[in-house]
Amino acid sequence: KQEVTQIPAALSVPEGENLVLNCSFTDSAIYNLQWFRQDPGKGLTSLLLIQSSQREQTSGRLNASLDKSSGRSTLYIAASQPGDSATYLCAVPGGATNKLIFGTGTLLAVQP
Amino acid sequence: GAVVSQHPSRVICKSGTSVKIECRSLDFQATTMFWYRQFPKQSLMLMATSNEGSKATYEQGVEKDKFLINHASLTLSTLTVTSAHPEDSSFYICSASPGLQKGAFFGQGTRLTVV
């Protein structure tokens, strides 16, 4: 059974810092891995999607890496801003219907 | 990315009434959509998988007669909370995917308050 965990559970940093969020999964036979952010009271916004054959994906200040063999993905946020404050979730598809299996989430607070 | 639209964003209803929430994929077709529920400061909990043209698949512990799901077209799934009670008050979110290789996309969520 696939299990996805995220470290740290919460993170508070001053504005401008670079930071790394971690995601681990127990079954390396994944099709892809997706990173989302969720703002309070809102739905999930897709940030980056990494296919199993890829090592990393970049979008603006965000960079996500994937190491299937070690069961890890990282989300790197450069020059953090207060607007980056949100809960960040990683997820992998699993099961017969490819329903998403979510990580435990990282609550990020960027202090101005 | 693909767009999933959910409506309404907020609804307040009286105990005993039913509420319908719509989830639409605006620029792609989805044979499968997913419905989640989220309590404050908690993770998303998958309630059911909505299958176009067939019955939904419910997760263990979710009452199928309480949460009616209809997926009548490739772009629309609806969740109806029947005979709502205050304990049904929650945040409901749907998701759909244009294909496994393209990832999943989520609606804006619906805040249901039952009074």
Side-chain angles (χ1 to χ4, degrees):
Chain A
K1 179 185 173 186
Q2 178 74 276
E3 293 184 1
V4 184
T5 55
Q6 291 183 243
I7 296 173
L11 183 62
S12 180
V13 299
E15 182 177 4
E17 270 202 13
N18 303 324
L19 56 100
V20 175
L21 308 182
N22 298 288
C23 172
S24 299
F25 44 95
T26 55
D27 185 350
S28 62
I30 61 170
Y31 194 86
N32 54 39
L33 184 145
Q34 198 165 0
W35 281 93
F36 298 90
R37 70 175 277 170
Q38 185 178 27
D39 294 281
K42 305 291 185 182
L44 274 65
T45 300
S46 179
L47 298 174
L48 289 165
L49 173 69
I50 312 178
Q51 304 297 338
S52 62
S53 58
Q54 296 176 321
R55 298 283 288 184
E56 65 179 274
Q57 280 285 338
T58 298
S59 176
R61 294 181 295 108
L62 305 180
N63 176 278
S65 68
L66 176 64
D67 184 344
K68 269 185 59 175
S69 60
S70 66
R72 293 180 182 178
S73 176
T74 62
L75 179 67
Y76 175 83
I77 303 178
S80 59
Q81 302 172 357
D84 295 329
S85 299
T87 296
Y88 289 79
L89 296 161
C90 63
V92 297
T97 59
N98 292 315
K99 62 184 181 183
L100 285 180
I101 301 169
F102 285 95
T104 43
T106 295
L107 177 60
L108 173 65
V110 181
Q111 309 299 332
Chain B
V3 179
V4 175
S5 178
Q6 191 172 335
H7 178 82
S9 57
R10 290 178 179 273
V11 59
I12 301 173
C13 72
K14 292 184 178 180
S15 256
T17 62
S18 295
V19 173
K20 181 185 286 188
I21 303 170
E22 292 187 348
C23 181
R24 294 180 184 273
S25 55
L26 298 187
D27 51 1
F28 65 95
Q29 295 183 331
T31 56
T32 303
M33 293 186 179
F34 299 93
W35 287 96
Y36 298 82
R37 182 174 183 175
Q38 187 177 36
F39 291 105
K41 298 189 186 299
Q42 293 189 21
S43 301
L44 291 170
M45 183 189 78
L46 180 65
M47 298 175 65
T49 302
S50 173
N51 304 299
E52 189 268 334
S54 64
K55 292 182 179 180
T57 306
Y58 290 82
E59 295 297 301
Q60 192 172 7
V62 178
E63 300 175 59
K64 61 181 181 181
D65 296 328
K66 172 76 170 174
F67 299 100
L68 299 179
I69 291 173
N70 183 276
H71 194 153
S73 78
L74 287 170
T75 59
L76 174 64
S77 175
T78 60
L79 168 68
T80 300
V81 182
T82 63
S83 188
H85 291 286
E87 56 266 30
D88 298 324
S89 298
S90 189
F91 191 59
Y92 294 87
I93 313 175
C94 69
S95 78
S97 173
L100 181 59
Q101 71 279 16
K102 296 185 179 180
F105 297 88
F106 285 76
Q108 306 93 318
T110 297
R111 171 71 59 193
L112 170 64
T113 303
V114 184
V115 298

